Amino acid sequence: MKKLFILLVILLVTCIATASILDTINQIPAWLRTAIGGTILVYGVCWAFSWFSDPIVIAFETNNSGHWGPFIFVDTHILDGASPDFRDYFFTHEYGHYLQYRLMGPLTGIVYWVSCQISKAKSGNIWEGNWMELQVIEWAHRNSFVPKRIWGWPK
């Protein structure tokens, strides 16, 4: 009887909390609810894509190669002029971040930011103590990734 009572109390608290959340959501302007919903949809689709496919590499002239969701952005100079060893290391490193994204989904950015702040406090920069970077650096030394889809290259 005591367990049933506890279960009913938990159910009641959950119902009250849900009603409160829904009431709060209804107070948000419709355009903002749509924007938030659209953002959640984009993140959800990107995360789902990462479970069923390898990343899409997009090549263009940029100073900031990196990774976001199911995409790896790469400077065309890395594809055209870098040594094959560096190219392989770069793609494998970014693929490691892609696998982290596959695991953590939309929380990856927040977790990465926190890891950067901890690293900055410990070592003075965002790289040396950043466990997410250290993890993919170690992984890239032991593995290899060759992208199957490269958009924008060769020109």
Side-chain angles (χ1 to χ4, degrees):
M1 189 68 169
K2 186 176 179 182
K3 290 181 182 180
L4 181 62
F5 177 73
I6 292 172
L7 185 62
L8 287 175
V9 169
I10 291 171
L11 183 63
L12 178 67
V13 170
T14 303
C15 289
I16 292 170
T18 302
S20 177
I21 290 169
L22 291 176
D23 187 45
T24 303
I25 289 173
N26 287 333
Q27 293 174 5
I28 297 173
W31 67 270
L32 186 55
R33 280 192 309 242
T34 303
I36 292 168
T39 302
I40 291 169
L41 178 66
V42 167
Y43 271 102
V45 167
C46 288
W47 192 21
F49 179 88
S50 74
W51 281 94
F52 299 105
S53 180
D54 281 340
I56 297 169
V57 176
I58 300 175
F60 59 101
E61 289 189 26
T62 179
N63 293 329
N64 298 314
S65 296
H67 157 265
W68 185 87
F71 305 103
I72 293 175
F73 300 101
V74 59
D75 190 324
T76 52
H77 299 304
I78 291 175
L79 295 172
D80 291 331
S83 71
D85 287 344
F86 178 80
R87 231 182 355 257
D88 180 56
Y89 177 81
F90 170 81
F91 281 122
T92 306
H93 177 95
E94 293 305 325
Y95 185 70
H97 285 304
Y98 176 77
L99 294 177
Q100 289 172 334
Y101 175 76
R102 183 184 282 179
L103 178 66
M104 292 182 278
L107 296 176
T108 305
I110 296 167
V111 173
Y112 189 84
W113 182 84
V114 169
S115 183
C116 286
Q117 300 313 307
I118 292 169
S119 174
K120 196 185 297 184
K122 286 183 176 180
S123 67
N125 63 53
I126 63 171
W127 308 109
E128 289 177 29
N130 185 331
W131 70 267
M132 290 184 75
E133 287 295 335
L134 296 174
Q135 182 183 43
V136 296
I137 287 169
E138 180 184 330
W139 190 80
H141 285 298
R142 292 180 293 145
N143 296 284
S144 180
F145 169 73
V146 178
K148 295 178 180 80
R149 289 179 290 237
I150 301 178
W151 295 353
W153 184 82
K155 293 180 182 179

